[in-house]
């Protein structure tokens, strides 16, 4: 069994946004030499997500509006208690739960085993500071094992 | 380390619905000969989900109504931008985020290591066409490794 | 390849609540002797979650209120059909989908490969009875493999 680890750092210029990190995951997979196995990609911070969906600008706009509705920046009745601590990001912790912390992707014949439209995104919900994404790959170096 | 790959194709007759795919995952696991490891089961399409919950018809009805409320087919104010592209499935991309893309299940002594009610479902949110589900299993062929 | 399995049992005194299970996962990882690999931690019951977020009491209060709003105990129009079966926990099956069934965490140099605030929680949405959490670890026993 082999394993490989890499960390990406993203300093998103703005509070919220989505970044396609598929090229970086592909690069890490090539460097790993792993041909059959699993890739874990996860946000290392708890107000951010890693998820798989479409690389379509309109959809990302829709996600932004939808998440603002499902997890608004201000609580409907009283202030979020988390924000009593001096934070202002309770909503970011909620958005991250809807979009997810991590993805696990199969590696087959040395490639991400993806359907036609699958792309890996980093979702930032409390940006303007450097945050990290972990890529961990485990598996075997033979094509068929 | 061994690995095994299989792909299921489902052409769901209708826009939305849930299909219990546990028997197919069990079959793949038997064919793999893997006794200890992990199974990844994921939708290969981005308007569909794989998730684990109860095989109870009333609950599936409730999920359907609940998802229509949380991610309605038409945006509350203006049209979804994704649908400006000619698509009509922005809501399906949202429902998929709530229900999830994938599950990872432990394999112990050659079986899915499940609690009493766990069943694996395919969730279709934009059906009436063939879509694929990936089953990837990695692990060892000895009972205790 | 090595594998390790452990099961935690939690009997949460109350309908809903969050329990930090990171110490138990760390203990299992030490016992496993695995240095490089993946840990899967999942609820074995379908009205409970395992997720990673902040160990902050105010945030947990906010999650509780937020989940009650997104997945209320009583359906807005008619009763949940799942509850026609004699159950009263349809909302718990919904809350579990938002918060997720499982987490997959990288193991690096024998430790959970975590960012600064990541902690693993059990989320109970239908408590007052014993429920189980599965910890499955696969990987290698060498530090760099």
């Amino acid at each position: 069994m082999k394993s490989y680890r890499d960390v990406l750092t993203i300093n998103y210029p703005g509070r919220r946004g989505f970044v396609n990190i598929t090229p970086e995951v592909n690069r890490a997979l090539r460097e790993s030499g792993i041909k059959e196995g699993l890739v874990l990609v996860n946000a290392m911070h708890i107000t951010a997500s890693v998820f798989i969906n479409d690389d379509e600008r309109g959809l990302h706009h829709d996600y932004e509006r939808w998440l603002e509705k499902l997890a608004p920046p201000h609580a409907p009745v009283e202030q979020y208690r988390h924000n009593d601590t001096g934070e202002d990001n309770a909503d970011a912790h909620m958005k991250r739960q809807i979009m997810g912390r991590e993805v696990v992707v199969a590696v087959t014949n040395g490639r991400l085993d993806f359907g036609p439209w699958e792309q890996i995104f980093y979702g930032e919900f409390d940006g303007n500071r450097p945050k990290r994404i972990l890529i961990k790959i485990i598996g075997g170096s033979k094509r068929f094992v």
Side-chain angles (χ1 to χ4, degrees), chain A:
Chain A
M1 205 204 75
K2 293 184 69 166
S3 74
Y4 182 86
R5 176 187 194 266
D6 199 4
V7 172
L8 311 177
T9 301
I10 291 184
N11 192 335
Y12 189 80
R15 178 108 179 173
R16 288 186 298 277
F18 303 114
V19 180
N20 188 336
I21 59 172
T22 317
E24 283 74 21
V25 179
N26 275 320
R27 178 195 45 70
L29 180 54
R30 283 194 302 273
E31 288 175 12
S32 76
I34 289 171
K35 299 299 185 194
E36 295 289 329
L38 297 176
V39 181
L40 168 70
V41 187
N42 69 266
M44 298 184 81
H45 299 260
I46 53 186
T47 51
S49 286
V50 170
F51 66 96
I52 288 173
N53 217 298
D54 200 0
D55 196 356
E56 200 279 302
R57 184 185 294 239
L59 179 65
H60 296 178
H61 173 89
D62 297 334
Y63 273 149
E64 159 69 13
R65 291 182 73 115
W66 179 63
L67 290 168
E68 281 289 271
K69 183 158 174 286
L70 286 191
H74 301 286
V77 180
E78 57 178 18
Q79 182 175 275
Y80 293 122
R81 292 259 181 100
H82 182 58
N83 293 354
D84 291 343
T85 64
E87 294 284 356
D88 66 350
N89 62 7
D91 66 302
H93 290 277
M94 293 165 182
K95 289 167 171 121
R96 125 66 168 256
Q97 289 307 122
I98 290 175
M99 298 303 276
R101 167 187 179 262
E102 77 217 11
V103 296
V104 178
V105 181
V107 177
T108 301
N109 290 340
R111 306 189 65 164
L112 298 176
D113 199 335
F114 266 164
W117 301 102
E118 290 188 281
Q119 296 283 305
I120 307 174
F121 289 89
Y122 174 70
E124 178 62 83
F125 306 117
D126 186 21
N128 292 313
R129 44 186 165 154
K131 291 164 94 170
R132 286 174 297 146
I133 301 159
L134 179 65
I135 302 172
K136 185 88 181 187
I137 312 174
I138 71 167
S141 54
K142 289 191 224 139
R143 192 150 171 177
F144 301 103
V145 287

